C-alpha cells in the first residue's frame, strides 16, 4: 500500500499543480501558446516521487530469423524474460525512424527520452565522455583508430588487429607529445585500438569530414572543412596527422591512425532536470557511460562484467530513482554475425533479468538501443523488442514470449522509442495531469 | 550471395560514410543543426546500390465489409496475394492522417515518400502533367469536366454521360479558340469528359475556388478569389467560362463545363535526387503519370491495359532501380459502388501479382493509394492493406491472407504511408546508418 499511496499523494498533486509549476512552458489559459514538444512536455508534467524506474538495455537486442525461420530471441532459452513478458506491456520501439538504422548513440538517446533526430551526438564526444575526459564547450573531440598501412600508405587493417589497450596506450603516449600551433593536443587511450583525440583552442569548429576511408586498400583521407570557419581547425587536425604519421611510421603493430566523428559537446537538456529524478548509470563500456553523462546522469564506477554491474546497482539502489544498466554482449555477437553466440548472450542475461526483477522497481523496462541481427552482422533498422513491467496499472499482454513477433502484437505496438520514458514516468506516478 | 553483397559492399559503406556524405545536412557532431524531417532525412541517408524496388499500386485497394461481414479483399479469390502475404511484412499504411480521406494525389505522394499534408498538389497540375503539357511556374492549370445543364443552367449530368474522348476533343478545339485579355489560353482533351485548361500570363495566382457544385440540380459557381492578389486571375477564368458557355450552348452531348483544382505547379523535391535511384513509372491513366512526373520519375510510354503495363515494365526492367506500376480498375469499381466488380478487379490483378513477384525485385510492395470501399462508393479514410516482400531480412508475418483485418495484425501495424518508402529503401540496402 505504501507504493500505491505514492501515486496519488497530496504532495504530488501540489507539486504537479497545473498552472503554478515553476518550470512550466504554458501560461494557464493561454491556448495560443504553441504545443511544447518532447522533453519540454515531460519537464512540464513531471513531478518528484519516491518510486523507482529501472532500465535494462540489452545492446543490439533485436534480431531476425535465420534459415530456421526463427530469430535469436525466438530460439534462445530465456524463461525469465518470457515469464516477465506475460506480466508486462510489450511493444516494438522504433529507435529513430522507419527504415533508419541507428548507431548506439541515437539508440540510447531515444530510450532516454530524446528525439535522436533532433539531438545528434558525434562519436568523438561520446568517447571523450566515456573516458571521463573533461570536455570543454570549445573543444573538438575525435574518435581515433590505430590502423596498419603498407609502404604506399594504403590501409591493410583498419583496426590494427584490434590491438589490446596495453599496446595502444604507449602509442597514445607518443602522440600526446605532438605540438600543433595555436591549439592544445590531448591523446588518451580508450579501449583496444581506439583512442581519443581532443584539440583545444580558440575558434575551433567541428564542421569537418572524417579520415577513415571505411575500407582497406585505400589511404586515409585528409580532414576537410565543410564550412569556411572550419578551415583552420582542419589544418590543425591535418598537421597533427602528418606528425603522427612520421612518429608511427616504424612502430608495431600499428603504424597509422584514422579519425572519425569529429565533434563538439552538444548542448543537451538534462534528464535529471527534465524528469525531476536522481539518475544513475551503470555500464562497463565507455561509450555508454559517455551517453549517460551527456544527458546528466551520474555515472557509477563499476567492473567489467554484468555481475559487477549488478553489484554496483544493488549498492546504489537506495540513492537513485532512475537507474540505467547496460549489457553489451548481445550486440557484439550480432555484429560478429554469430547467431549462436548471440543466442548464448541472450541466455546469459536471462537469469539477471530475474535478479533485476526481484529488486521490485516500480517500473522495470527491458529494452534494446537498436537491433543487431546476426544475419545482418551489424545494426539494422528494425524496431526492438521491449517490455515495461509496472508494479501498478499493468495492462499485461499475456504474451507467449519475449521476441520480435510477440512484441509486434504487444499492447504497445510499434512506438517511437523516445516515448517509452514517458510511459515509465507515468507508471511510476511521476507525471501529473495535462490540462484541466 | 551476390544479393547479400549489395547490402554491405565496400562501395556503399564508403558512399554512406557518416561525416563525408556530400548531401548531408548534419555536420559531424553539430547537434545545433535542426532536425531534418521526412525527405531530408532520406536524402541524408540514401546511398546508391544495384538493388531494385518494385511498387504495385492497386488504386483504391482497401475496402469494407458488405452485408456478409467480409470486405471485397476477404471475399475475392486472390491466392497469389494471400501466398505472398505469408512471406511479407504486412501492415496498414495510413495515407494522410486518421480520419482523413485522401484524393489520389495525396495517396500516391505518400507512397512516394512525401508527406501529403505538406506537399499539396492541385488536380489541374496533375492533369497537365498527365497529358505532357509543358506547365510553366507561372501558369494556373484547372481540371475541366464537360457537363450538361438544363435551360436554367442547372447541372443535369456532371460528367455529360462520360462522353468518350472522341466527342470531347472537338469541344476542346472550340474552347481553345477563346481569347481572354492579358492571358494565353490552352485547352486540351484529357480522357472521356475531362479536359485541361491552362491560363498563362503575368502575375496569376491560384488562390481560387472551384466551379463544380459537386451535385446535380445546382448551377456551376463562378471562380472566386481567396486572396486579393487572385482577383484578376478569377476574372480571367470567369471571362473564359462566360465565353465557353455561349460557345457550348447548342452543342451535344455536353453543353457546359466545370473547373476544379485550379493550381500552380508546386515546388517539389525530386524522388530521384532524394533516393539516389533511377525511377520509372508505368501507368495507363494520365493523372498517375502526372504524379510520377511531378516527383521526378521517368514516365514510360505504355498501353491501356495492365498487360501492356507489365510488358512495358519488363522492357525497362534493367534501366531502373525503382519502378512504380499502377492498376486502376479496383478504384473505378469501388467508386461505382459495385462490390462484385471490385472483387472481379482484385481477382483480375491477382495473377499479375505473381508475375511481378517472379521478377525478383529486392523489394516488392503491393500497396493502395487509398481505400475505395464499394459500400462508400467513393474514397474513404481507412488505412490500406499493404505488403512489403523483401529478398533479404524478412520478418514475415505468416499472415493468413491479404486483407484489411490480416494487415491490421501485420508486423508493421498501422503506419504513416509516407514511411513505406524508407522501409523499402532499408530492405534494398539503400540507407546508411544514422549516427555513431
Amino acid at each position: 500500500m505504501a507504493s500505491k499511496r505514492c501515486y496519488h499523494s497530496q504532495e504530488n498533486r501540489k507539486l504537479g499543480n497545473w498552472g503554478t509549476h515553476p518550470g512550466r512552458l504554458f501560461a494557464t489559459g493561454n491556448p495560443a501558446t504553441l504545443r511544447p514538444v518532447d522533453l519540454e512536455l515531460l519537464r512540464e508534467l513531471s513531478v518528484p516521487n519516491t518510486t523507482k524506474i529501472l532500465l535494462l538495455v540489452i545492446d543490439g537486442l533485436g534480431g531476425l530469423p535465420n534459415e530456421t525461420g526463427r530469430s535469436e530471441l525466438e530460439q534462445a532459452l530465456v524463461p525469465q524474460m518470457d515469464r516477465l513478458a506475460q506480466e508486462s506491456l510489450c511493444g516494438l520501439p522504433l529507435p529513430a525512424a522507419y527504415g533508419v538504422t541507428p548507431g548506439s548513440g541515437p539508440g540510447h538517446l531515444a530510450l532516454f527520452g530524446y528525439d535522436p533526430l533532433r539531438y545528434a551526438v558525434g562519436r568523438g564526444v561520446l568517447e571523450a565522455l566515456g573516458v571521463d575526459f573533461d570536455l570543454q564547450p570549445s573543444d573538438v573531440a575525435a574518435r581515433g583508430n590505430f590502423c596498419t598501412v603498407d609502404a604506399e600508405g594504403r590501409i591493410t587493417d583498419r583496426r590494427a588487429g584490434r590491438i589490446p589497450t596495453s599496446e595502444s596506450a604507449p602509442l597514445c603516449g607518443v602522440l600526446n607529445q605532438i605540438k600543433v600551433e595555436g591549439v592544445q593536443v590531448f591523446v588518451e587511450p580508450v579501449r583496444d585500438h581506439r583512442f581519443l583525440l581532443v584539440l583545444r583552442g580558440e575558434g575551433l569548429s567541428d564542421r569537418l569530414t572524417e579520415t577513415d576511408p571505411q575500407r582497406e586498400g585505400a589511404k586515409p583521407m585528409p580532414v576537410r572543412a565543410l564550412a569556411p570557419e572550419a578551415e583552420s581547425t582542419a589544418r590543425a587536425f591535418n598537421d597533427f596527422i602528418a606528425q603522427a604519421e612520421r612518429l608511427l611510421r616504424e612502430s608495431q603493430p600499428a603504424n597509422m591512425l584514422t579519425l572519425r566523428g569529429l565533434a563538439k559537446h552538444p548542448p543537451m537538456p538534462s534528464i535529471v532536470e527534465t524528469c525531476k529524478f536522481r539518475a544513475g548509470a551503470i555500464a562497463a563500456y565507455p561509450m555508454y557511460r559517455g551517453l549517460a553523462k551527456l544527458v546528466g546522469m551520474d555515472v557509477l564506477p563499476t567492473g567489467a562484467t554484468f555481475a559487477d554491474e549488478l553489484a554496483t546497482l544493488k549498492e546504489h539502489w537506495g540513492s537513485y530513482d532512475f537507474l540505467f544498466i547496460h549489457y553489451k554482449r548481445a550486440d557484439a555477437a550480432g555484429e560478429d554475425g554469430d547467431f549462436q553466440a548471440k543466442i548464448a548472450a541472450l541466455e546469459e542475461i536471462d537469469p539477471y533479468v530475474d535478479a533485476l526483477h526481484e529488486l521490485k522497481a516500480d517500473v522495470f523496462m527491458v529494452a534494446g538501443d537498436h537491433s543487431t541481427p546476426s544475419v545482418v552482422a551489424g545494426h539494422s533498422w528494425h524496431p526492438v523488442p521491449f517490455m515495461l513491467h509496472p508494479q501498478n496499472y499493468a495492462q499485461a499482454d499475456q504474451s507467449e514470449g519475449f521476441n520480435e513477433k510477440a512484441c509486434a502484437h504487444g499492447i504497445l505496438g510499434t512506438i517511437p522509442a523516445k516515448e517509452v520514458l514517458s510511459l515509465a514516468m507515468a507508471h511510476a506516478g511521476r507525471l501529473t495531469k495535462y490540462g484541466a
Side-chain angles (χ1 to χ4, degrees), chain A:
Chain A
M1 288 309 292
S3 168
K4 175 138 195 196
R5 189 174 46 80
C6 294
Y7 287 78
H8 301 292
S9 72
Q10 293 301 324
E11 185 187 21
N12 287 341
R13 294 204 169 198
K14 185 174 136 204
L15 284 165
N17 183 10
W18 182 256
T20 59
H21 199 287
R24 68 203 181 70
L25 290 174
F26 287 135
T28 304
N30 182 354
T33 310
L34 282 174
R35 175 193 165 182
V37 291
D38 301 330
L39 297 174
E40 288 81 358
L41 184 62
L42 206 50
R43 180 190 298 264
E44 168 67 27
L45 300 181
S46 64
V47 291
N49 202 333
T50 58
T51 51
K52 283 196 194 303
I53 299 171
L54 173 58
L55 169 65
L56 165 64
V57 175
I58 301 178
D59 206 298
L61 173 60
L64 283 172
N66 65 355
E67 64 283 356
T68 68
R70 294 163 73 225
S71 73
E72 299 91 329
L73 261 178
E74 287 176 287
Q75 294 189 41
L77 295 173
V78 287
Q80 303 304 336
M81 288 195 268
D82 287 345
R83 190 175 56 81
L84 194 66
Q86 292 183 19
E87 305 165 0
S88 298
L89 291 77
C90 296
L92 282 181
L94 191 66
Y98 282 101
V100 172
T101 298
S104 296
H108 276 83
L109 286 183
L111 293 174
F112 299 157
Y114 297 75
D115 182 344
L117 299 180
R118 182 172 168 188
Y119 297 97
V121 181
R123 186 174 281 268
V125 169
L126 296 179
E127 299 288 4
L129 292 168
V131 296
D132 283 322
F133 185 88
D134 184 24
L135 202 65
Q136 303 296 308
S138 59
D139 294 351
V140 177
R143 145 89 171 263
N145 278 355
F146 285 111
C147 64
T148 54
V149 295
D150 64 18
E152 281 76 43
R154 290 187 295 258
I155 293 176
T156 50
D157 185 334
R158 287 176 56 233
R159 297 180 184 88
R162 292 186 188 269
I163 53 171
T165 314
S166 59
E167 295 188 40
S168 61
L171 297 178
C172 290
V174 171
L175 297 183
N176 218 359
Q177 306 307 315
I178 291 176
K179 307 289 180 203
V180 176
E181 195 183 329
V183 298
Q184 274 183 281
V185 175
F186 304 88
V187 180
E188 296 204 9
V190 173
R191 198 185 178 112
D192 300 341
H193 58 287
R194 297 184 286 264
F195 66 90
L196 168 71
L197 168 63
V198 175
L199 297 193
R200 176 171 296 167
E202 293 290 311
L204 297 182
S205 165
D206 64 358
R207 301 271 292 136
L208 301 166
T209 64
E210 307 185 333
T211 79
D212 185 348
Q214 296 278 340
R215 62 187 179 94
E216 273 130 32
K219 294 181 182 182
M221 300 176 291
V223 174
R224 293 197 180 93
L226 290 165
E229 70 270 20
E231 293 288 357
S232 64
T233 315
R235 277 194 300 273
F237 272 106
N238 288 325
D239 184 359
F240 172 88
I241 292 168
Q243 294 186 54
E245 188 174 13
R246 287 192 294 274
L247 288 169
L248 295 177
R249 191 166 288 156
E250 305 302 323
S251 70
Q252 290 288 342
N255 61 358
M256 189 49 188
L257 58 83
T258 59
L259 300 179
R260 297 172 65 186
L262 293 76
K264 287 185 162 184
H265 192 312
M268 299 276 279
S270 158
I271 195 173
V272 171
E273 291 172 17
T274 301
C275 295
K276 306 181 185 72
F277 56 34
R278 301 165 297 168
I282 304 161
Y285 275 64
M287 201 177 86
Y288 311 102
R289 292 203 296 270
L291 279 163
K293 193 185 295 183
L294 189 69
V295 299
M297 294 185 201
D298 288 352
V299 174
L300 307 175
T302 191
T305 69
F306 196 80
D308 296 331
E309 293 189 15
L310 180 59
T312 304
L313 178 74
K314 288 179 174 174
E315 184 186 341
H316 292 86
W317 185 249
S319 307
Y320 290 95
D321 309 304
F322 178 94
L323 280 148
F324 151 57
I325 188 166
H326 182 263
Y327 176 71
K328 175 69 179 171
R329 278 196 57 211
D331 177 62
E335 287 267 12
D336 289 343
D338 190 335
F339 204 96
Q340 295 306 320
K342 183 158 179 195
I343 290 176
L346 295 169
E347 292 180 346
E348 179 191 70
I349 193 67
D350 192 58
Y352 289 107
V353 170
D354 196 44
L356 292 169
H357 174 49
E358 284 173 3
L359 294 170
K360 296 194 190 304
D362 296 275
V363 174
F364 174 34
M365 292 182 282
V366 178
D369 53 342
H370 52 74
S371 294
T372 309
S374 305
V375 297
V376 175
H379 296 193
S380 79
W381 60 90
H382 300 86
V384 192
F386 171 79
M387 57 181 155
L388 185 154
H389 183 273
Q391 293 291 341
N392 289 287
Y393 309 143
Q395 284 181 300
D397 276 318
Q398 283 104 37
S399 173
E400 281 172 33
F402 185 63
N403 57 62
E404 295 78 8
K405 282 174 198 154
C407 287
H409 298 117
I411 201 160
L412 299 178
T414 300
I415 64 168
K418 72 184 176 65
E419 306 295 342
V420 303
L421 180 66
S422 298
L423 282 175
M425 293 283 286
H427 281 91
R430 288 179 170 272
L431 290 184
T432 190
K433 189 158 73 175
Y434 171 75

